[in-house]
Amino acid sequence: MATQGSDSFAPVLQALSVMQSNIERSQKSQAHEYLEKFQKSPEAWAITTSLLSTANASAEAKLFAATTLKGKVVFRISLPQVDGPRPIRTQLCVCLAYLAIQMVEWKDVLQHVGSNLGSSGGDCVLEFLRVLPEEVTEGRKINLTEEDLNNRTKELLEDNAVQVLRLLTQYAESSSNAASNPQLLECISSWLREIPAAAVVSSSLFDAIINALSVESSFEAAVDCICTILRDTREVDESIEVIQLIYPRLMSIRPKIAAAAESDDQDTFKGLTRLYAEAGEYWVVMIARLPSEFRGLVEAILECCARDTDREAISLTFLFWYEFKQIITLERYKQARDIFADIWSKLMDIMIKHLEYPTPEGPNEADLFDGDREQEEKFREFRHQMGDVLKDCCDVITVTECLGKSFNLIQSWISTYGPQAVANRVPHWQELEAPLFSMRAMGRMVSPEESVVLHRVIPLIVQIPSHDKLRFQAVMALGRYTDWTAQHPEFLQPQLNFVIAAFKDQSIEVVKAAALAFRFFGTDCRKLLIDNVTQLHDFYESVLDQLLPASQEEITEGAAAVVSAQALDRIYPMFKLYCDPIIKRMMARANQAQGTEDESARLAVADYIQLITIFIQNVNPYVSPTQENPAVKYCQEILPVMSAIAENFTSCTPILERVCRCWRYMVLSYRTAILPLLPTLAQQLASGFESSRQGCFLWATDSVLREFADGAEFVDAATSQAIYNFFEQQALAFLRIMNDLPPNDLPDVIEDFFRLLIDALIYYHASLLPAPICSPIIAAATSALTLQQEAPLTATLHFLCDFLSYGTDHPNSSNFQNGSNSARATVPAELQQRVRHLMSEQGETLTQRILTGMMFSFPRDCLQDASSVLLAMLEIQPQAVTLWVKDTLDMLPAGTLKAQESEKLLNGMANKIQQGEIKKVKVLLQDFTNSYRRRNVAPREGLGRLEATRFRFSG
């Protein structure tokens, strides 16, 4: 390959300079486009080689050249040897690794690289050795068949493992600097994919790795290397001898934990914590089997937890404690559980101590983190993770003992500091708040039958002094024990009074906590509160307008639960008592918002609709089919109001979504009892969708479709047919909308429509498939495949898969009624023929859209579903689909696909079809499209003959 002069790469350097400068965006776009085209051009080979060989080129320019060369060398071409900074060297080593992988005739890779770089290129050799296993095993751009890749992997890695181990050992023994070289340690870590951990541990390399822990520059790499070795020993029965060699060496460095903590060396402390924690994770079975022998390791992990005053490393131990808990709570390891009980008890004490908020250093006692909000948020998240460890402690040393520790701390604080506490001046409040948080964290572990601690601690909690964080934690803790309170009614009233009083607190957080706790009290203690429903209504009315929307929903859920517990004859009046005032508020805000741009009033309307929906969700009494449902009676009263709201706010998405959600839950909650409201409801859903073009109306339609399908209990054939006619009306409206607007303007509507269609196929396939509307629906689905958003594409592809399955004997899902419960549903011949006919008409266009999407535009998470659609088409019409695939490949942009690649795919498809292995075609298609997608991007000028046409519908 000829080396070109500096003039050849001057335009590249100029474009890079533009990208790094502060100039107009349009110029940067032009430069970016130029560099993109350059990277794919044949000239890039010579130019990047020349640039890399130029001594005065900048590091940024060489990094761009090396990155370009890395991308191109995937397709097998030589590259030069260039010295430079490590990022450039790494990119070139990756290039060389790809070349070694794909140049299968190159058999002496390691010898060739070593001899060419010479003794002065030690770091380059180590870098190449490090990246080679990574790229062989994890590379995603290797253009080899599976068989060739497996053979090449054996040649490069397995056959060279012994040689590499010898080479690395010789290098480590050459000098003390070499032994502690981080690149050596990284190289060992990489080759542990092939070299057994036992071989490394039994060699002098392991001494070098352990000693490297004492060298600051190599400490992190040494920790990574040891952790990689530990991972290789996780099959403890096979690795017992290796573990016996490693364990004493780990224990010998335990004093470093105290030294790092005392010197406040956070990086070292964190690395040591990781090392011991991962050893515990991988050897947890051995620890349970031999508790006395491995107690030292568990104690070391506990020491890491205890000494982590900054809470920077302790989270690394959480997985170990969970895994350890999982195994020693098994009955066969009861002895280990007893031996380690004291350690778990100490762990509980340590964790509660770590839960404490910091003491402020400045005069502002409210600013606990010196204004660092990120640190405060991190601490809050960390506390919830520690809460999981507290639950692990409950499993090991019993809930009673853990609760007892929290109780003792609360009791101790009250006796020591309680008399000194005055309003919002509470000494050492952190020492009280932490055990309160622990009580809250352990709530779900406590049985409603607990009889030792809670009856003593609950009376203390409701007397907690007034302090924002204490009140917050106390209220949240009480909310976690409502199951227990439901079994101990004598404790209900003091707790409820405490929670209700918290609604008057000045802190928003406390009020939010009170709303959440009220929800739990209402839900779990509903039967105890039946006689208090009227008083609770007065309270509900007094606080509702003072709460944030989320808290309004929570308190409403609690109130609705109490209403749902009423006797049947009291359901309607209580429903009305609670909801009528909400309806009045909603109408007042709707009148205020109508005809104006008052967004807050519109959102308030949506929020009030949500509160009504919560009552409908929760107040769901059992009523005989021959009786009137009192909840439906109230729904009948408010349906005209909801309809008026929908009609007057056709452009307000939040309101329409909440109205449709309300209607949907009317159907889901009361099922066939809603039948008297069905004509009005269906009319509103149809007119609402037509006027607003919002997908939420289709979402609500889906619930009607499922509930009143043919064959549903208490649904006659006439009603079911009327529901299908209603569905067709919605489908026609959707197709007209698709005719007017491109798919990019309708992603949410498309998603909702095709999710509706999936259910329509299940319940109404016999009506839908033969219907004239089915053909434009398939055309609309094909058009929707031009989208690039995952959710609508997934819905469309799932619909197409289900639709195509009706062209086979057995659909993906259906409600076909077979005589035997065990027999699979069989699609009638006329329906199969209908699906095949539609495929004959539209299959070619559908194939183009699927393949184009897989090669250019579909999100990666949609590729599996897209290939499933092609597979389903092949199962119906294999010969035709193979021809459509060929025609589609022929229409790809010129120069993007070699003829032999196309022939290879088509021949492979033909062979699999001939052998009756159609399912294996899916893998061929995925491999082909993945390979094509890596090499190409959609041309800016478009896809030519593969460009999609607009969907048209004249119905």
Side-chain angles (χ1 to χ4, degrees), residues 755-939:
R755 293 202 184 284
L756 170 65
L757 272 170
I758 290 171
D759 279 340
L761 273 177
I762 294 174
Y763 299 110
Y764 289 100
H765 47 265
S767 300
L768 173 60
L769 292 175
I773 200 172
C774 194
S775 179
I777 284 174
I778 302 303
T782 303
S783 179
L785 296 177
T786 57
L787 290 170
Q788 296 183 23
Q789 295 98 319
E790 183 178 336
L793 275 174
T794 299
T796 306
L797 292 169
H798 285 182
F799 160 71
L800 286 169
C801 276
D802 287 355
F803 164 76
L804 291 166
S805 72
Y806 283 87
T808 67
D809 287 338
H810 303 293
N812 289 346
S813 58
S814 77
N815 66 343
F816 286 126
Q817 300 298 317
N818 282 13
S820 169
N821 291 333
S822 61
R824 286 191 65 189
T826 302
V827 181
E830 60 272 17
L831 294 185
Q832 292 189 43
Q833 187 57 39
R834 172 62 171 163
V835 171
R836 292 169 186 268
H837 175 71
L838 288 170
M839 276 300 94
S840 299
E841 290 181 340
Q842 304 189 42
E844 183 174 9
T845 306
L846 179 58
T847 302
Q848 290 175 10
R849 293 277 59 78
I850 293 286
L851 278 175
T852 302
M854 292 179 70
M855 289 188 285
F856 292 109
S857 61
F858 285 172
R860 294 209 172 272
D861 286 345
C862 291
L863 298 182
Q864 185 79 10
D865 290 327
S867 57
S868 294
V869 173
L870 279 176
L871 181 65
M873 294 173 67
L874 280 164
E875 289 179 344
I876 296 174
Q877 296 174 321
Q879 304 306 324
V881 174
T882 303
L883 180 61
W884 295 334
V885 169
K886 178 184 182 303
D887 291 343
T888 302
L889 299 182
D890 290 342
M891 289 189 278
L892 287 169
T896 63
L897 183 68
K898 296 177 183 178
Q900 55 265 39
E901 292 180 274
S902 175
E903 290 174 10
K904 181 180 177 182
L905 172 66
L906 295 170
N907 290 337
M909 290 176 61
N911 289 337
K912 296 300 180 188
I913 292 170
Q914 188 175 5
Q915 295 166 10
E917 297 179 328
I918 289 182
K919 292 188 185 302
K920 292 187 177 180
V921 174
K922 184 176 182 178
V923 177
L924 294 176
L925 288 167
Q926 287 179 331
D927 289 346
F928 170 79
T929 54
N930 285 339
S931 174
Y932 184 91
R933 189 179 182 121
R934 285 196 301 266
R935 304 193 310 267
N936 299 280
V937 294

Side-chain angles (χ1 to χ4, degrees), residues 460-623:
L460 295 181
I461 293 178
V462 297
Q463 299 178 52
I464 290 300
S466 179
H467 183 283
D468 288 353
K469 285 191 163 42
L470 294 178
R471 182 66 62 90
F472 174 83
Q473 264 342 314
V475 170
M476 292 294 284
L478 293 178
R480 287 301 180 99
Y481 291 92
T482 49
D483 272 345
W484 181 87
T485 302
Q487 302 293 324
H488 300 81
E490 66 273 21
F491 291 93
L492 172 60
Q493 200 58 51
Q495 294 182 74
L496 195 58
N497 292 342
F498 184 80
V499 170
I500 288 175
F503 280 91
K504 299 177 182 178
D505 200 280
Q506 298 300 309
S507 167
I508 293 176
E509 294 300 317
V510 173
V511 174
K512 288 162 66 175
L516 182 60
F518 184 87
R519 168 191 163 196
F520 291 132
F521 276 101
T523 302
D524 294 332
C525 304
R526 66 181 77 185
K527 293 182 179 178
L528 300 179
L529 294 170
I530 286 176
D531 295 335
N532 300 88
V533 65
T534 306
Q535 298 93 308
L536 288 177
H537 171 259
D538 296 338
F539 160 71
Y540 178 79
E541 278 292 301
S542 68
V543 300
L544 186 64
D545 293 330
Q546 302 167 19
L547 302 176
L548 295 173
S551 295
Q552 287 181 338
E553 292 181 21
E554 284 162 350
I555 193 175
T556 298
E557 188 171 338
V562 178
V563 171
S564 71
Q566 302 297 306
L568 194 60
D569 61 345
R570 285 179 55 77
I571 291 286
Y572 172 76
M574 290 301 104
F575 211 143
K576 192 173 180 65
L577 176 69
Y578 276 84
C579 291
D580 274 358
I582 300 175
I583 293 290
K584 289 178 182 178
R585 289 181 176 93
M586 179 184 72
M587 293 304 296
R589 297 308 297 270
N591 291 332
Q592 177 185 340
Q594 195 169 1
T596 69
E597 297 300 322
D598 188 346
E599 188 65 20
S600 63
R602 295 186 177 197
L603 292 177
V605 173
D607 290 337
Y608 285 130
I609 297 170
Q610 175 68 3
L611 301 186
I612 297 296
T613 304
I614 290 172
F615 274 98
I616 291 171
Q617 283 179 269
N618 286 276
V619 183
N620 186 11
Y622 173 76
V623 182

Side-chain angles (χ1 to χ4, degrees), residues 5-220:
S6 60
D7 291 344
S8 64
F9 53 74
V12 176
L13 296 178
Q14 184 178 357
L16 287 170
S17 176
V18 169
M19 292 297 293
Q20 295 166 5
S21 61
N22 187 20
I23 61 174
E24 291 183 9
R25 190 170 182 177
S26 59
Q27 290 180 269
K28 284 193 174 185
S29 297
Q30 291 174 358
H32 182 269
E33 184 175 349
Y34 169 79
L35 291 173
E36 230 180 20
K37 288 183 177 179
F38 165 76
Q39 286 181 312
K40 295 184 179 296
S41 68
E43 295 80 15
W45 297 113
I47 293 173
T48 52
T49 303
S50 178
L51 182 55
L52 286 166
S53 303
T54 302
N56 60 356
S58 68
E60 291 82 3
K62 286 190 174 183
L63 182 58
F64 171 78
T67 305
T68 300
L69 198 55
K70 171 191 167 185
K72 299 183 77 62
V73 82
V74 169
F75 304 103
R76 295 183 49 177
I77 209 71
S78 59
L79 75 163
Q81 176 183 336
V82 180
D83 296 324
R86 187 172 181 184
I88 298 173
R89 190 170 68 231
T90 299
Q91 289 292 334
L92 293 177
C93 286
V94 171
C95 292
L96 190 57
Y98 273 121
L99 186 63
I101 295 166
Q102 299 191 127
M103 194 172 177
V104 294
E105 62 272 20
W106 186 11
K107 301 298 182 184
D108 57 342
V109 172
L110 296 189
Q111 296 91 328
H112 195 167
V113 171
S115 61
N116 274 275
L117 290 174
S119 59
S120 61
D123 283 350
C124 291
V125 174
L126 289 174
E127 187 77 8
F128 173 70
L129 287 176
R130 179 184 69 82
V131 302
L132 181 62
E134 294 174 0
E135 300 306 326
V136 171
T137 56
E138 299 175 10
R140 293 294 180 266
K141 300 182 178 181
I142 298 172
N143 198 23
L144 293 177
T145 65
E146 194 72 24
E147 182 180 357
D148 288 343
L149 180 58
N150 289 336
N151 293 335
R152 197 57 176 155
T153 299
K154 181 179 183 300
E155 291 174 355
L156 291 174
L157 301 185
E158 186 179 334
D159 294 350
N160 285 315
V162 174
Q163 178 188 350
V164 169
L165 178 62
R166 184 170 59 250
L167 179 67
L168 296 178
T169 303
Q170 291 170 353
Y171 177 81
E173 292 173 347
S174 65
S175 70
S176 58
N177 287 338
S180 61
N181 186 346
Q183 286 188 264
L184 168 67
L185 301 169
E186 292 169 2
C187 193
I188 296 170
S189 298
S190 182
W191 274 87
L192 280 165
R193 293 171 170 84
E194 293 299 325
I195 301 173
V200 175
V201 173
S202 58
S203 73
S204 60
L205 277 180
F206 195 57
D207 292 327
I209 297 167
I210 294 293
N211 293 335
L213 290 170
S214 301
V215 181
E216 183 179 355
S217 61
S218 60
F219 176 81
E220 184 178 351

Side-chain angles (χ1 to χ4, degrees), residues 673-706:
I674 206 75
L675 197 57
L677 283 63
L678 199 55
T680 304
L681 192 57
Q683 181 185 349
Q684 291 299 323
L685 289 171
S687 61
F689 178 53
E690 192 167 353
S691 60
S692 71
R693 299 184 170 185
Q694 294 286 334
C696 54
F697 288 93
L698 300 176
W699 181 57
T701 298
D702 195 12
S703 62
V704 176
L705 194 75
R706 280 186 278 111

Side-chain angles (χ1 to χ4, degrees), residues 399-401 403-404 445-457 481 484 487-488:
V399 171
T400 299
E401 182 172 344
L403 280 178
M445 306 297 295
V446 182
S447 166
E449 285 76 37
E450 201 282 329
S451 60
V452 178
V453 180
L454 286 181
H455 73 280
R456 298 162 64 197
V457 74
Y481 291 92
W484 181 87
Q487 302 293 324
H488 300 81

